Amino acid sequence: LVQPVLCPGEKKCFLWLTGSLPYGIESIHARGRDRMKKVNAKEVQEKVTATVIKALESVKVDGGKWQRPWRSAGNGEAIRHDGYVYRGMNQFMLSLVAGMSGKRNIWATPVQWGELAKKRGERYDFRGSKCVAEILRPNTATVTKDTGETDGFDGDGVPVPKVNRFKVITSYSVFPVMSISDVRGTEKLLAEIDAKNKLADHERDARAEAFIAAQNAEVTFGGDSAAYSPRTDRISMPALGQFDKPANYYATFIHELTHRTGHKSRLARPGIVNFDGFGSAQYAEEELVAELGAAFTMNALGIDGETMDSHVQYLDSWLGKLRKDHKFIFKASHAASEAMRYLFKQTGADIGGAE
């Protein structure tokens, strides 16, 4: 029996795997609709940043290397129950939750699970389950700023001030969601999703090769390190045989291709256009964009690999930036999502999606 109840027996919903109740979202009772709460943008940014900091502080470091907490452990990219692909911050946070909890990266609100069960003629049951993540939808307002310049004259000859108009995020609409792992009776649905997305090893390699070839990047093979040079716009890559498994080769290659999207002739990211050396504070920000962009892309391609560039030196820089700037992870996720879209656009695929 489908129960349109968010967290039975609970007064509020557990979010972000922290066990905390940051947004005060009440339980949904049998009214057939999901409860949404509008939350101040600064509050959301602070809570999300605190979660990311906690995740980074808990990573395991082994020999100067570390394992990314936002890997979805082969679950693929974060999708809704109907196949819609989440982007930007939602893709990042849902994959983070999936990777840390071991849950499948397929999500929906309780009411959406109920509607799907009715549509498919199946019986889903999530009594006793909890929502462990949430979807953020930004709400914006248009801000007008006087430039101090004149933009012509009106009919009476009076100077018209020149203004700039831009949108700012003022708040977020927050929707708690539940993983398919916590919804009983979805075995048939899950089997269909897995069958649709499953690729044999040789097919997966072929798809990755085609994806890389479509970028038309200049690449030099050989040596023991992988890198992208902003000055020459060229990638250096070890040969495939130097990696312990093909997935790590493709993961590393895609990481460098993500850096390449920042070139002035492409997306013109500051860390690439104004490159001031590996290990600098600015380049550490670019490295986070490449980490997230590569993770998003690898999830979309079904590649579960590790890059060669997972040096622990960037962790402290990221943590320092996160503690000072609550918008940092939002900006990095947005830039990473743009990089992924650019890479897929070169293949002729419009992956669409929204943040």
Side-chain angles (χ1 to χ4, degrees):
L1 177 65
V2 176
Q3 299 288 329
V5 180
L6 180 58
C7 301
E10 298 289 338
K11 291 184 177 180
K12 299 183 179 181
C13 185
F14 286 80
L15 304 175
W16 300 130
L17 297 179
T18 63
S20 60
L21 310 171
Y23 302 125
I25 299 175
E26 303 294 335
S27 299
I28 292 179
H29 300 290
R31 295 185 294 179
R33 64 187 180 88
D34 287 310
R35 179 67 61 88
M36 178 274 289
K37 186 177 180 66
K38 186 177 290 187
V39 184
N40 177 272
K42 182 179 179 181
E43 182 182 349
V44 171
Q45 291 160 357
E46 289 175 349
K47 294 295 182 181
V48 169
T49 298
T51 301
V52 176
I53 289 174
K54 183 176 180 179
L56 289 177
E57 287 177 336
S58 67
V59 300
K60 295 180 179 179
V61 178
D62 182 14
K65 298 283 186 175
W66 59 288
Q67 181 170 309
R68 300 155 183 77
W70 47 78
R71 289 180 60 219
S72 59
N75 276 337
E77 57 190 342
I79 62 173
R80 200 164 60 192
H81 65 298
D82 57 3
Y84 172 91
V85 179
Y86 292 107
R87 297 298 175 209
M89 178 53 62
N90 286 323
Q91 175 68 223
F92 169 70
M93 289 304 296
L94 291 174
S95 293
L96 176 64
V97 172
M100 294 178 67
S101 67
K103 298 181 185 296
R104 293 301 302 269
N105 214 3
I106 304 167
W107 308 86
T109 67
V111 169
Q112 286 174 333
W113 284 123
E115 292 173 345
L116 182 63
K118 182 178 180 180
K119 180 179 179 180
R120 291 172 58 90
E122 297 175 343
R123 297 166 67 89
Y124 297 165
D125 179 13
F126 43 79
R127 287 173 293 183
S129 298
K130 293 182 174 68
C131 296
V132 295
E134 59 195 11
I135 301 301
L136 304 176
R137 292 183 183 173
N139 302 307
T140 62
T142 300
V143 175
T144 301
K145 184 176 181 180
D146 192 343
T147 64
E149 301 177 4
T150 300
D151 189 17
F153 300 86
D154 62 16
D156 297 324
V158 178
V160 177
K162 183 178 181 180
V163 297
N164 289 332
R165 292 182 176 83
F166 53 94
K167 290 185 176 181
V168 296
I169 296 176
T170 57
S171 63
Y172 288 87
S173 296
V174 180
F175 298 85
V177 289
M178 185 179 294
S179 167
I180 195 172
S181 298
D182 297 317
V183 182
R184 294 176 291 278
T186 57
E187 294 80 9
K188 184 177 178 180
L189 171 63
L190 190 54
E192 292 174 5
I193 293 173
D194 286 343
K196 180 180 179 181
N197 295 331
K198 185 177 181 181
L199 294 170
D201 287 341
H202 69 282
E203 293 173 326
R204 180 180 300 159
D205 292 352
R207 186 182 183 189
E209 290 287 354
F211 178 87
I212 290 170
Q215 308 306 319
N216 291 317
E218 294 188 21
V219 184
T220 300
F221 291 95
D224 297 323
S225 63
Y228 167 71
S229 170
R231 184 177 64 82
T232 63
D233 194 28
R234 177 179 286 273
I235 291 173
S236 299
M237 272 293 298
L240 176 60
Q242 294 175 255
F243 291 81
D244 57 352
K245 61 180 182 178
N248 290 349
Y249 166 79
Y250 294 120
T252 299
F253 212 145
I254 291 169
H255 177 98
E256 301 307 333
L257 285 170
T258 305
H259 277 310
R260 181 177 174 270
T261 65
H263 190 266
K264 63 182 179 181
S265 64
R266 301 179 189 99
L267 300 180
R269 287 193 302 275
I272 296 298
V273 175
N274 302 316
F275 178 67
D276 58 353
F278 297 106
S280 69
Q282 178 177 256
Y283 192 75
E285 295 182 29
E286 166 62 24
E287 190 65 23
L288 181 57
V289 172
E291 283 286 343
L292 298 181
F296 296 167
T297 303
M298 289 187 289
N299 282 345
L301 290 173
I303 298 172
D304 183 24
E306 287 288 342
T307 71
M308 296 181 67
D309 204 19
S310 54
H311 294 294
V312 73
Q313 69 185 58
Y314 292 115
L315 282 177
D316 288 340
S317 179
W318 294 342
L319 286 168
K321 190 70 175 179
L322 285 164
R323 292 184 180 110
K324 293 178 181 178
D325 182 4
H326 292 143
K327 296 181 181 179
F328 177 56
I329 191 64
F330 286 78
K331 292 183 287 189
S333 295
H334 177 73
S337 196
E338 282 189 328
M340 181 186 67
R341 289 191 183 101
Y342 181 92
L343 291 171
F344 272 100
K345 186 177 181 180
Q346 307 316 301
T347 70
D350 181 6
I351 57 175
E355 301 202 5

